[in-house]
Every structure is written in C-alpha cells, then in structure tokens.
Amino acid sequence: MEMQKLYLLVPLAPLVGAIIAGLFCRVIPRWVAHTVTTGGVAIACLVSYVIFKDVMAGNTYNGPVYQWLSSGDYHFEVGFLIDQLTVTMMLVVTSVSLMVHIYTIGYMQDDPGYNRFFSYIALFTFSMLMLVMSNNFMQLFFGWEAVGLVSYLLIGFWYTRPTAIFANLKAFLVNRVGDFGFILGIGLVLAHFGTLDYAAVFAKAPELAAHTSLELFGEGRGVALMTAICILLFIGAMGKSAQVPLHVWLPDSMEGPTPISALIHAATMVTAGIFMVARMSPLFELSDTALSFVVVIGSITALFMGFLGIVQNDIKRVVAYSTLSQLGYMTVALGVSAYSVAIFHLMTHAFFKALLFLAAGSVIIGMHHDQDIRNMGGLRKYMPITWMTSLVGSLALIGTPFFAGFYSKDSIIEAVALSHIPGAGFAYVAVMAGVFVTAFYSFRMYFLVFHGQERFGKAAPHDHHATNDEHAHPAGDAHAEHHGLAPGQKPHETQWVVTLPLIMLAIPSVIIGYIAIEPMLFGDYFKGAIFVDAKAHPVIEELAHHFHGAFAMATHAVTTAVFWLAFLGVALAWFLYLKRPDIPQTIQARCGFLYTLLDNKYYFDKFNDVFFAGGARLLGRGLWKGGDAGLIDGIIVNGSVHLVGWFATLVRLFQTGHIYHYAFTMIIGVFVLMTLWVTRA
C-alpha cells in the first residue's frame, strides 16, 4: 500500500505544481511559480529513483487505482503498470524534465509569460508520466492526447506570432491524423478482446491472432487481425514520433521556446511512440507484416531526414532534423524485434539530445537571440562551458566509442544486420549511410558555431533561405524583434542556471551507455516487460554472441566500417567548413536542383498544402456552394418559398372578389362532380 502511494505521488507532484502556477499565474511571484513546479518535478524524480530500486529488487506492480466508467460488460479503469520498462521511462522523463525546469529559470527570465510557461511544462511532465505508467489502453490514450494538447500550447506559447500559431496548428492537425489510426487500433482491441487491460489483451493475443482476420475486401480476402491492430497503433506512433510522412510538424515546432524543444522533442513526447510499440511487443511479435512496415518507415526517416540537416542554417532546426533521424533509428530497431535496443537508444538519446538542444539555447542567449549559424564562429573562446558540453553531445550523437550514443547506435546497426525481416536489407543500407550523414551535419554545425573565424554582427546572406523559414521569422526567442549582436559586441557565457543543466546532462551522455548496455540488452533487465519470439526473431540472442563487454565493444569499434564512416563525416565537415569554406558554395551552385529539393524538405509541405489543405478547401467550397447554397438554400429553403409563391399566384386568379366569378366556379365544380358520378355509375 505504501508503494502505491508513491506511484501516485510521481504524476501528482508535477500536476499540483502545474495547477498552482497556472491558476494563480497572475498573482504569485515568479519565484513561487518556478519553485512549486521545479519542486514537484524534483519530488517525482526522487520518488522514481526509489521505485526503480524497488523494481530492481523484484517488486513489480500491475493494478487499478480506481474505476472511471462502466458500460455494460466493459470497465474502464485508471491503473499503473510498474515494471522495468516503466521505471526506465519514468527516470528519463523526470530527470530530463528536472534539468529543463532549472534551465528555464535562466532562459525565460525576461519573458512576461514566465509563470504560464512553468505551468505548461509541469503539466506536460504529468501527462507523459500518466502515459508511461498506464496499464491499459484507455489511460494510454489519455496521456497520449494530453501530451499532444500541452505540446500545442507550448509550441504556440508566443501566441502573438503568426509563425508560432501556424506551427502549433500544424502539429495539432498532423497528430490528429496519426491519432485517428491510433484510436481505430484501440477500438479493434476493445471489439475483439473485450477489454483494454494490457495483461488481458497480451494473454489472449496468440489465440486470436491464429484464428481471426478482418475481411476488408470481401469473403476470404482480408487482413490478419493482429496486423491491422499493430499497423493502426503504429500510425499513431508515426504521428507522435514524427515518422515519414507524418514528420512535417516537428521542425516547425522549433517556433516554441528552446526548453520545450529539449523536453518535448528530444526526451519525452516524440519518444512516446517508441515506448508504445515496445510496450505492445507481445502484439507486434505476432505480425511480421507489421514489423516490416515499421522497419521500412523507420529506415526512410533515419536517412532522408538526416539529409535535410545538411542544408539547415538555423541552429535549432539542425538539431530538430537530427532528432527525426535518430527517431528513425529507434523505429528500425523496433521493426527488427530489438525492442530493448530501441529503448536503450531512447534513453541515451534523451540525454545527449536534450544536452544539444539546451546548448543551442545557451548559444542563442549568448548571441542575443541570433540563431543563424552563419553569423557565429569562434564561440569557444567566449562560451567555454557551452563549447565543451556541445562537443560531448555531438560526439555522443555520432556514435564515438565510449560515449553513450555509440553503444546504442552501434547495437541498432548490428541488430539490423542480423535481422531477416523483409525490408531489413534496405534498412541496413539506410542506417549505415545515416552514420556518415549524421557525423557530417553534426560537426558542420559544431565547427561553424564554435570554431573558425568570428562572424559576429554580420548579416546573413540576403536571400529567402536565410533562416530556412518561409515565414522569415526567428524561431524560439523571447525578443525576436531585437535579435543579434550589435557591431563590436561579443558573445558571453550564460548564467549558472543554464550551464548547470548542460554539465549534468553531459555526464550521462558520456557514461550511461557503458554502464547500461550489458544489463539492458543482454541481461534480465527487461525480462517480463518486453516480449520477443526468440525462435522467429532471434536478433538479440545473436547479438549477444558478438558481445564481449562494453570496453571490448568500444576498442573493437575502430576496426568497423561504422567508425570510419563517422570519422569521414567529421573530417569532411572540417575540410569543407574550416579549411575550404568556398567549396560548399560551389557545390550548392552546381547542384542547384538537389539543394532546392532539400531546402524545400522534399516538398512534403507543398504537397500537403496543395493536396490535403487545398483539397479540403475545394471540398468545403463544393459543399458550401453545391450543398449549402445550392441544395439547402436554393432548393429546400428557397424552393419551398417559390413553390408556395407559385401556388398562391395560381390561386389568386380565382380570388377576384366578383360574385359572378364565384357562382361560375361553383357551377363548374358541380358539373365536374356530377360528371364523375355519372361516369362512375
């Protein structure tokens, strides 16, 4: 019973802080708002560590908290499933969220919406915790939609900006597409299983998978039930975890303040889809078709979103496309049944990507809110802490041996190489090519920002690609109208509430992979929390045969193609942007079509605007003119008026007011009646 109270304390502590800061944001001082929200998240973080120790001692939990609704034979409950997968996510969410809360104290100090922002990020933490701690689909969907709602509020936090409103509306609409598939999948689960409880669904799944199909195309032609459920659930994950083609919202979401870029788009909301598929591993293991679909989508995202990072000049957008690419890596791992590897990469990525986002925010502060990396250079002299922590994050991102990202990223690549799922061959080519691309764009940004000649106070080239933003609006600063350093002004290191989280995140970005790889991938850490059909998908077992310890894995890496691809990416970035900066401009001029294609993000936005948005407007116009104006107003409403008018005009001919006309009418009437009577007789 005592542990159940602790379980409740984890999500409720941030919720209480969010309520206080939100409801009383206009009356309480700023220090109260950041104290109650940061304190609530700190309590959740500490309690999560206590629960983690309890779970490691073998004490898992699966049970209801209360029954929310009963409808016939269906019961909808709020409950918790506390196991190794859950506590891993709880630790990641609360740890990163705590660092973001501390960082926000410095980053948002001059913003008039200070209290409101703290309320939002604490509410987001509550929503994400409810999602990962749920033991049933209903609560999962509640958390799923709650994080979507709060992300909408955070992306459009500066609601006076048209670009921010455009970005949050875009995120909201794209996620509705994914969530439509998600709710259909949950509906299929309820219809065929009769329950939304994870344990009951997982227990009945093998039996239903063997005998049940959905006849969508006539008798005898259908789709396996489990394939339909898994693909529909994964469509939800494609929206939340920004997989092609539902990825288009995430880069534009950089319009929100930098702290939410780290919280939502590195460590929490975008990983909800990855967590959900890992949690649903007992279902996905029953459908190779669904796994192949996951593999192909993930590999396309991993490679082609990485290409887009090469042409970005906004520092936050480079990191955003890096997030898209790394989410693709996690998705590929899920598709080859390496669920534990996907969660491992989710954890390591959460730390080093949050570090990179917050470091980018520190650079933005030091540069007086100029985000164009072409206006930077040489910042390592002025911002040494940001420089070192950015280097750590970049090395972890590209998979440098002994850094956290190396262990998780290399494990994904090896797992894909060992897989026989249809599509794994294409995925292997994509993730290998992605290694070079990731190293290149990561260190392109690093060298342009921290090394080379100083370019302060110089305007970016006056072209429409200056910020890679068709709205020509700097994303993510509180004082957009006064961004950039004045001539002669120098950058400066940020205050301790900004740099402390950078240092705290840099530590796990280095060591967490070395510590966690053996228990998480090759031990019993996820036993009972993640299910893999070892006979059909023996990837993890085969991976274990090649593993001889974390140290040996790192030292052996220098002989692998992965290491040299990353090295070549870094070397090429150094050569092109430090030694011969004239070459990239020449390449851009000679490869104009390719650059235009990448700069326009493969025209996904244009296609969506013309086909979906334009189609919706066309359909609306047709329903308005044809349905509303033509059918309803023209025929039903106005038509009935015209009919009555015509009949009244006809009747008016006989209403003259003359007695002899009425007498004549009566005679004619009597004559007609008598004629009918005689004829009938």
Side-chain angles (χ1 to χ4, degrees):
M1 190 65 184
E2 289 299 321
M3 289 306 298
Q4 291 184 37
K5 291 180 180 177
L6 288 181
Y7 301 154
L8 278 169
L9 184 59
V10 173
L12 291 183
L15 178 62
V16 170
I19 291 172
I20 294 172
L23 292 182
F24 306 104
C25 64
R26 294 183 180 276
V27 295
I28 59 175
R30 291 187 169 204
W31 69 267
V32 173
H34 71 235
T35 299
V36 294
T37 52
T38 308
V41 174
I43 291 170
C45 186
L46 291 173
V47 174
S48 294
Y49 277 97
V50 174
I51 296 172
F52 172 76
K53 290 183 64 178
D54 186 60
V55 170
M56 290 300 99
N59 301 316
T60 59
Y61 175 82
N62 181 16
V65 175
Y66 69 93
Q67 189 173 102
W68 178 67
L69 176 69
S70 290
S71 178
D73 295 331
Y74 299 126
H75 303 285
F76 302 95
E77 297 175 330
V78 173
F80 293 143
L81 170 58
I82 308 297
D83 60 9
Q84 297 89 333
L85 179 57
T86 303
V87 293
T88 301
M89 292 299 296
M90 289 166 62
L91 289 176
V92 169
V93 170
T94 56
S95 299
V96 174
S97 180
L98 179 59
M99 294 299 102
V100 169
H101 275 70
I102 296 171
Y103 178 93
T104 302
I105 297 172
Y107 190 88
M108 300 292 288
Q109 63 180 349
D110 297 324
D111 196 282
Y114 187 88
N115 293 0
R116 178 167 59 93
F117 187 81
F118 272 97
S119 174
Y120 286 173
I121 57 175
L123 185 61
F124 179 86
T125 306
F126 157 75
S127 303
M128 191 67 194
L129 288 169
M130 288 295 285
L131 187 157
V132 301
M133 295 173 70
S134 63
N135 75 338
N136 62 83
F137 285 92
M138 186 207 74
Q139 187 177 332
L140 173 71
F141 189 70
F142 164 77
W144 196 268
E145 293 302 310
V147 293
L149 169 65
V150 184
S151 71
Y152 169 83
L153 297 173
L154 285 166
I155 294 167
F157 179 76
W158 289 312
Y159 53 82
T160 56
R161 287 191 194 175
T163 50
I165 298 305
F166 175 85
N168 74 347
L169 181 61
K170 185 176 182 180
F172 185 82
L173 292 176
V174 172
N175 273 278
R176 295 293 67 73
V177 176
D179 292 352
F180 180 68
F182 192 58
I183 194 67
L184 287 178
I186 294 175
L188 277 180
V189 169
L190 184 61
H192 288 272
F193 290 85
T195 180
L196 293 177
D197 182 75
Y198 290 162
V201 170
F202 296 161
K204 295 168 72 173
E207 179 186 352
L208 282 177
H211 302 101
T212 310
S213 64
L214 300 175
E215 294 187 356
L216 302 178
F217 311 106
E219 188 174 349
R221 294 181 298 167
V223 176
L225 172 67
M226 215 50 61
T227 297
I229 289 174
C230 290
I231 288 179
L232 286 170
L233 292 176
F234 181 67
I235 289 172
M238 287 168 64
K240 277 289 181 288
S241 295
Q243 298 297 292
V244 171
L246 301 182
H247 67 283
V248 293
W249 65 271
L250 192 142
D252 285 351
S253 68
M254 297 300 106
E255 285 289 340
T258 297
I260 68 113
S261 300
L263 182 62
I264 293 179
H265 308 122
T268 51
M269 190 183 95
V270 292
T271 60
I274 308 300
F275 162 79
M276 184 272 293
V277 175
R279 175 60 79 197
M280 300 300 134
S281 58
L283 304 184
F284 278 83
E285 283 299 284
L286 298 171
S287 174
D288 280 5
T289 304
L291 290 175
S292 292
F293 181 72
V294 172
V295 163
V296 172
I297 293 295
S299 53
I300 291 172
T301 306
L303 179 59
F304 290 96
M305 293 302 104
F307 285 140
L308 296 183
I310 297 174
V311 300
Q312 300 300 312
N313 294 315
D314 184 305
I315 187 171
K316 283 174 62 177
R317 286 179 181 259
V318 177
V319 186
Y321 280 107
S322 168
T323 300
L324 282 170
S325 180
Q326 296 307 304
L327 288 167
Y329 274 86
M330 298 175 210
T331 304
V332 167
L334 295 171
V336 298
S337 295
Y339 306 98
S340 56
V341 181
I343 297 299
F344 182 42
H345 192 52
L346 182 158
M347 179 186 70
T348 61
H349 174 265
F351 291 112
F352 64 72
K353 188 52 62 66
L355 170 60
L356 285 171
F357 267 120
L358 296 186
S362 180
V363 169
I364 292 168
I365 295 171
M367 289 294 297
H368 287 209
H369 300 282
D370 184 355
Q371 296 181 203
D372 195 320
I373 58 178
R374 296 169 296 180
N375 296 340
M376 300 178 189
L379 290 188
R380 64 187 181 91
K381 292 191 298 184
Y382 306 99
M383 308 181 72
I385 298 176
T386 304
W387 165 57
M388 284 303 301
T389 51
S390 294
L391 178 60
V392 168
S394 299
L395 291 173
L397 171 61
I398 69 170
T400 307
F402 291 104
F403 285 77
F406 159 75
Y407 291 101
S408 56
K409 196 172 181 180
D410 270 37
S411 297
I412 291 174
I413 295 170
E414 290 182 38
V416 174
L418 295 169
S419 176
H420 301 291
I421 285 286
F426 168 68
Y428 182 71
V429 173
V431 295
M432 286 293 285
V435 171
F436 172 82
V437 174
T438 302
F440 179 74
Y441 69 67
S442 298
F443 274 83
R444 168 185 177 264
M445 179 181 72
Y446 172 77
F447 290 137
L448 284 175
V449 172
F450 295 104
H451 293 270
Q453 64 178 5
E454 299 176 2
R455 300 180 294 277
F456 313 139
K458 297 179 182 179
H462 293 287
D463 62 72
H464 68 288
H465 303 306
T467 61
N468 296 99
D469 185 353
E470 60 270 29
H471 302 289
H473 212 302
D477 71 87
H479 308 283
E481 64 275 12
H482 302 299
H483 68 283
L485 293 171
Q489 195 174 13
K490 299 296 183 182
H492 57 85
E493 186 61 275
T494 45
Q495 55 186 309
W496 71 269
V497 288
V498 174
T499 56
L500 177 62
L502 298 183
I503 297 169
M504 296 299 292
L505 287 168
I507 295 170
S509 297
V510 177
I511 66 173
I512 195 71
Y514 188 93
I515 295 170
I517 183 171
E518 191 160 357
M520 289 186 76
L521 301 194
F522 310 113
D524 293 332
Y525 183 82
F526 285 121
K527 186 177 181 180
I530 290 175
F531 172 76
V532 178
D533 185 347
K535 291 184 179 179
H537 311 125
V539 167
I540 294 297
E541 287 190 358
E542 293 182 25
L543 202 60
H545 294 317
H546 300 278
F547 182 74
H548 303 290
F551 184 82
M553 181 179 176
T555 53
H556 173 70
V558 295
T559 64
T560 64
V562 177
F563 173 83
W564 290 106
L565 281 171
F567 178 81
L568 286 174
V570 175
L572 183 62
W574 171 81
F575 178 74
L576 291 180
Y577 293 98
L578 290 186
K579 301 301 291 182
R580 292 292 305 276
D582 58 302
I583 294 180
Q585 297 177 0
T586 304
I587 294 173
Q588 178 180 332
R590 292 186 177 180
C591 302
F593 170 75
L594 182 60
Y595 176 79
T596 303
L597 179 68
L598 296 177
D599 192 56
N600 285 279
K601 298 166 278 191
Y602 307 118
Y603 294 97
F604 271 104
D605 286 335
K606 183 73 71 177
F607 176 78
N608 290 337
D609 187 49
V610 172
F611 185 78
F612 291 110
R617 289 192 296 268
L618 186 63
L619 177 63
R621 192 177 297 113
L623 291 174
W624 164 45
K625 293 201 170 181
D628 191 18
L631 179 62
I632 297 174
D633 288 345
I635 296 176
I636 298 176
V637 178
N638 295 331
S640 62
V641 172
H642 293 314
L643 179 63
V644 171
W646 173 82
F647 185 74
T649 301
L650 185 64
V651 171
R652 193 182 301 123
L653 296 175
F654 302 97
Q655 300 296 321
T656 62
H658 298 291
I659 293 176
Y660 56 86
H661 283 169
Y662 297 153
F664 178 74
T665 303
M666 291 172 65
I667 292 169
I668 294 298
V670 170
F671 176 76
V672 171
L673 289 173
M674 289 180 67
T675 302
L676 291 173
W677 180 74
V678 171
T679 305
R680 185 178 179 187

